[in-house]
Amino acid sequence: MSRSLVSKDDLERIALQEIRSFPGTENVLSVEIEFERSDRPGMSWRLHVLAQEGCDLARVQYAAKTTTDRLKHRYEVRLN
């Protein structure tokens, strides 16, 4: 299965939408993608999630991990 190319900004918006779709994560404020050094540019990144105080951190972590895994299967970040 081929992955679609997507910009960093678009992927951050998609990730925020997907994370907020998990129960208990509606108060997630923002998502940022951080790139890591790798032999596979566009594939080596991780999500940083900013959530309001009082969120269930276990749910936010689960949502972030699950979303990261799903998005890495579907998208490759276009590096400009």
Side-chain angles (χ1 to χ4, degrees):
M1 182 165 106
S2 66
R3 290 183 291 276
S4 300
L5 280 176
V6 67
S7 72
K8 178 182 178 237
D9 291 340
D10 287 343
L11 190 58
E12 287 172 343
R13 280 190 288 275
I14 293 166
L16 181 60
Q17 243 180 341
E18 289 205 16
I19 288 172
R20 283 182 177 167
S21 73
F22 285 80
T25 61
E26 297 83 9
N27 293 327
V28 169
L29 301 173
S30 67
V31 172
E32 185 177 318
I33 292 176
E34 177 186 41
F35 292 98
E36 302 169 337
R37 291 183 174 239
S38 171
D39 294 337
R40 299 178 65 191
M43 283 300 300
S44 186
W45 52 268
R46 67 178 130 192
L47 290 178
H48 290 277
V49 179
L50 179 64
Q52 276 184 326
E53 192 172 321
C55 281
D56 182 346
L57 293 180
R59 286 198 178 272
V60 172
Q61 287 176 332
Y62 174 78
K65 172 71 172 120
T66 302
T67 298
T68 299
D69 293 344
R70 288 177 182 170
L71 295 181
K72 282 187 175 185
H73 287 286
R74 285 189 275 180
Y75 299 104
E76 186 171 338
V77 181
R78 183 175 59 230
L79 302 175
N80 296 1

